[in-house]
Amino acid sequence: MFNRSKSEAPTSTDSAAANEAARLQAEEIASGKGRATPSRKEREAANRRPLVPADRKAARVADRDRARVERERQQAGLAAGDERYLPVRDKGPQKKFARDFVDARWSVGEFLVPIVVALLLVTFLPFPSDIKNTVSSYVLIVVWGFFLLTVVDCLVMGGLLVRRLREKYGTAERGVRWYASMRAIQLRPLRMPKPQIKRGQTPS
């Protein structure tokens, strides 16, 4: 008399389904989603990704566009001196200070390449033969003289830079003189990262 009929007896499958539904409902309430929890089939379908895109040409175009945008972002970050996009040789506060130190001053070396090119072009002008040798000799003397001035200027600048770095950081990184000198002999508009300080400004 106390036995239930077969139609009223709960099966293990129904019990498991009810427990799963209750668990999902509890998770939904706890997380405060405010929306229905996706079923297992929906989650599996969302996780499926085709190994080969349906439209390969469109996928290649999209990949090229993403690569171009990333390159432009990296180039802009490098030009702005963003540490995330700098190569190893440009990273660090001392390298940043060295760049600002160089960019804040006039350097003899930044005029080296334009002057050398201009003087070499002078030697190709159609001078008379008796004057041409004299002009070539003077050009060679000026080029070497300007080169020596550049070396002296870089040595002086390197010494001042190292002193400032030691005052600010307690020590100077190895190779920072060479790093600053290589920047000093570049034309200001061509320096990379781009100058972040005006001439005459004091590097911070």
Side-chain angles (χ1 to χ4, degrees), residues 97-133:
F97 186 89
R99 291 195 299 271
D100 290 344
F101 188 85
V102 171
D103 297 336
R105 66 191 297 272
W106 290 92
S107 300
V108 177
E110 61 186 294
F111 303 104
L112 176 63
V113 173
I115 287 179
V116 168
V117 171
L119 291 174
L120 290 177
L121 290 176
V122 168
T123 61
F124 289 99
L125 294 177
F127 292 107
S129 58
D130 56 335
I131 300 177
K132 190 174 182 65
N133 291 334

Side-chain angles (χ1 to χ4, degrees), residues 9 14-15 19 24 40 43 57-58 78-79 90 99 101-102 104-105 116 120 138 149 155-156 165 167 177 200:
D14 294 339
S15 177
N19 291 338
L24 294 175
R40 179 180 295 177
R43 291 195 299 268
K57 184 177 180 180
L78 173 61
D90 294 315
R99 291 195 299 271
F101 188 85
V102 171
R105 66 191 297 272
V116 168
L120 290 177
Y138 280 121
L149 281 176
L155 290 174
V156 172
L165 289 173
E167 291 174 356
R177 286 188 186 211

Side-chain angles (χ1 to χ4, degrees), residues 24-78:
L24 294 175
Q25 185 176 6
E27 289 179 356
E28 179 182 343
I29 293 172
S31 62
K33 290 180 181 177
R35 55 183 175 81
T37 302
S39 65
R40 179 180 295 177
K41 288 184 178 180
E42 291 173 341
R43 291 195 299 268
E44 290 176 351
N47 291 332
R48 291 195 190 101
R49 296 290 185 274
L51 296 177
V52 180
D55 191 342
R56 296 187 181 184
K57 184 177 180 180
R60 285 197 298 270
V61 171
D63 289 341
R64 282 199 300 267
D65 290 341
R66 281 193 295 270
R68 177 179 53 79
V69 170
E70 182 61 25
R71 283 195 304 271
E72 291 174 354
R73 184 186 298 112
Q74 292 177 355
Q75 196 68 18
L78 173 61

